[in-house]
Amino acid sequence: MVQATPFLLLLSLALVAPGLSARKCVLTGHWVNDLGSNMTIGAINGKGEFSGSYHTAVSSTPNKIQLSPLQGSQHRINQKSQPTFGFTVKWTFSDSITVFTGQCFVDEHGKEVLKTMWLLRSYVDNMKDDWKATRVGINVFTRLNLQME
């Protein structure tokens, strides 16, 4: 029976790992998060800026949920394969706005994942109610592969 030495284990990990990290995570496309919200990110320009749309699956407003625009930018230093990014969603159905920040990763199975944190700011009538106007949370997005029929 052959026993694996620590050196052989390290060597095998070094040979496998570059294949996973070499895959580039691309923000452009359709995404769905852990709550069922859908997001589309359009082409990223030469400055790293992008626009798109967001359709939330959750809301505390009694108004009808509608598609909302988003604007953002991706950090591009050295063309990193797993870039950081941020975007703002201006909700069309309420007096609130949400900012997201995160990083695009390629997981151990080769799937792209967006890990994000967000702040939602809702309108309040006076400064006394400021304490209840901001919410914070996290979302994980996975690529939504749309089938053309």
Side-chain angles (χ1 to χ4, degrees):
M1 183 162 111
V2 177
Q3 268 189 330
T5 66
F7 173 76
L8 288 177
L9 290 174
L10 267 170
L11 180 61
S12 64
L13 285 173
L15 292 173
V16 172
L20 290 176
S21 64
R23 177 141 186 251
K24 194 168 189 165
C25 191
V26 179
L27 288 179
T28 303
H30 304 284
W31 300 89
V32 62
N33 73 16
D34 45 325
L35 298 174
S37 297
N38 289 284
M39 171 176 66
T40 300
I41 295 177
I44 299 169
N45 70 21
K47 296 179 182 177
E49 301 164 337
F50 59 87
S51 61
S53 59
Y54 198 105
H55 190 271
T56 186
V58 294
S59 176
S60 62
T61 181
N63 300 336
K64 180 181 178 194
I65 294 175
Q66 300 171 2
L67 194 63
S68 296
L70 68 81
Q71 294 287 325
S73 61
Q74 170 183 305
H75 198 261
R76 303 180 309 107
I77 290 184
N78 299 327
Q79 300 297 323
K80 299 284 186 190
S81 62
Q82 300 188 128
T84 57
F85 61 89
F87 61 89
T88 301
V89 179
K90 181 181 175 188
W91 302 110
T92 56
F93 55 88
S94 70
D95 291 331
S96 60
I97 196 161
T98 302
V99 293
F100 288 78
T101 187
Q103 188 168 355
C104 187
F105 291 102
V106 177
D107 72 11
E108 65 275 5
H109 304 291
K111 294 185 179 183
E112 294 163 301
V113 176
L114 306 180
K115 300 278 281 185
T116 68
M117 176 171 262
W118 53 263
L119 290 170
L120 177 137
R121 177 65 187 206
S122 298
Y123 173 82
V124 291
D125 289 322
N126 57 61
M127 201 168 8
K128 169 180 80 148
D129 292 330
D130 182 63
W131 67 272
K132 64 181 179 180
T134 303
R135 297 179 191 171
V136 63
I138 58 171
N139 283 125
V140 177
F141 293 82
T142 55
R143 187 168 296 281
L144 183 61
N145 294 317
L146 299 176
Q147 299 293 326
M148 300 299 261
E149 295 181 14

